[in-house]
Each structure stands twice: as structure tokens, then as C-alpha cells.
Amino acid sequence: MLSKEVDMNWLNFACLAVLARRPAGSSLRLALGYRGAMSDAVALHVDEDGFFCLVAPDTYRGFVDEDWELEQLLTHFAGQMNAESLFIAYPGPYDTNETVVVADGHGDAPVLRQAVGAVNVGPGGLWLTDYTQLTMAAQFDDEAPTASYAIRLPIAEGRHRVDLRQLDGVPRYVLTITPLADDGREPVSAVPWFS
């Protein structure tokens, strides 16, 4: 495992590389997620199964069945998205570990696809988790939707719109999270981008 200093140097280099490849005059501003002190920047990413998962553990109900089937799990995820306790999308197996940049917009790059949802963040916060941990919570009723490696995002309590966009450019994925009063959005019937 790399030291925190090496990790931060790599992260700073990666951010500079992203910014250097952007067209001049582009308006995208980086605002990476933070954990702990504001100086401890953490890059978000698509997990090793190709999912991007944010969970509000105060209201997330994870247990499905000890012998759940994939269709049951995906239906459960859609229900938890409608309950505003989960945001999940499936960028796919070719984008595992792809960096997700948190920003206040997507700049001028064309949007290839977009997944939108809402989360109601309580005192327990909003966390980047992964599909593997969500499957553990689905199988065992005493398992949390987050593990020790989950990343808590600096999001205030309340309702928030979550918008994940895949861009035709660099960065490849951009996440925006904004306060939400009432968005009048339609309920989801499936995990976005999972086919």
C-alpha cells in the first residue's frame, strides 16, 4: 500500500493531468470529495464490479434474502433509489476503477449518458460504497451497506439531487450533488445503465 503522501502526490498529479487535457476556456471546476480534514482529498471511482454506489445508511434497508437472485437485488436497488437512500448506476465492466470527478458542472464536453437520482442524507452522511458491500448487506440482515474502506462525502443533511454523467472527453465521469427541494422526478424502475 502506498503512503498517504505518495497517494496525495499521485492525486495532485492526476488532477493536474485532467485539467491540462481540458480545452482552454472550459468552465469545469474540480471539487474532489473529502474525508476528515479538508486537506485530505479522496478521488471517487467506479468500483471493481463496474458500479458507482452512493448510500445514505440512516435510511438504507439492505437485506433482501440469504439466497437472493440478481433480479431480486436489482429490483431492491431500484426501490432503495426511489426511497432516496441509494444512488447506483452501472458504468460497466470496461470502466472499473475509472475516476469520477465531483464538479459543479460538466463543462463543454458532450454528455453520452446521464443517471439522475435523489438521496435524503441523514446524520449518518452519504458514503461511496461498492456493489460487493451492498450484496453482503442484501444477504445478511446484520451487515451494513458500508465497509471500513467506504468514503464519507462532505454532504450536509437534507435532500440532494445526484447527477452522474458519462462524457465524451476527459474527465470521463462527472458527478454533481446539489441541494434539492422538490424535483418532481419519475420513480426509477431499474438500475441506470444496467442492461
Side-chain angles (χ1 to χ4, degrees):
M1 181 164 187
L2 297 175
S3 72
K4 184 175 181 178
E5 182 178 330
V6 171
D7 287 341
M8 291 306 297
N9 287 338
W10 178 88
L11 181 61
N12 289 336
F13 173 78
C15 290
L16 290 173
V18 166
L19 290 172
R21 288 188 277 178
R22 298 191 51 254
S26 178
S27 63
L28 180 67
R29 295 186 324 216
L30 289 179
L32 292 174
Y34 292 98
R35 173 179 57 190
M38 293 301 279
S39 62
D40 295 336
V42 177
L44 305 182
H45 62 278
V46 175
D47 71 22
E48 65 184 19
D49 294 301
F51 286 88
F52 183 78
C53 314
L54 299 175
V55 66
D58 292 313
T59 57
Y60 184 76
R61 301 295 168 249
F63 184 72
V64 174
D65 189 282
E66 288 182 6
D67 296 316
W68 56 262
E69 300 285 332
L70 181 60
E71 190 59 38
Q72 284 178 289
L73 185 64
L74 295 174
T75 300
H76 177 74
F77 287 165
Q80 290 299 294
M81 286 184 72
N82 289 327
E84 299 184 354
S85 62
L86 177 70
F87 174 84
I88 186 169
Y90 183 67
Y94 298 110
D95 286 329
T96 60
N97 298 315
E98 184 74 34
T99 298
V100 176
V101 175
V102 180
D104 58 2
H106 61 84
D108 300 327
V111 176
L112 300 176
R113 58 185 176 167
Q114 178 177 12
V116 177
V119 290
N120 195 351
V121 179
L126 183 65
W127 295 77
L128 176 69
T129 190
D130 64 9
Y131 174 79
T132 299
Q133 189 59 32
L134 293 178
T135 63
M136 295 296 290
Q139 186 173 4
F140 303 105
D141 63 359
D142 61 345
E143 189 74 32
T146 58
S148 61
Y149 52 82
I151 299 169
R152 185 174 180 156
L153 304 181
I155 304 296
E157 290 183 38
R159 292 185 71 221
H160 298 273
R161 175 187 165 104
V162 179
D163 188 338
L164 180 65
R165 296 177 180 170
Q166 180 180 355
L167 305 180
D168 185 17
V170 175
R172 188 164 166 77
Y173 290 97
V174 173
L175 176 71
T176 58
I177 301 175
T178 53
L180 178 66
D182 182 25
D183 64 342
R185 65 183 177 83
E186 295 292 318
V188 297
S189 59
V191 172
W193 308 344
F194 192 90
S195 53

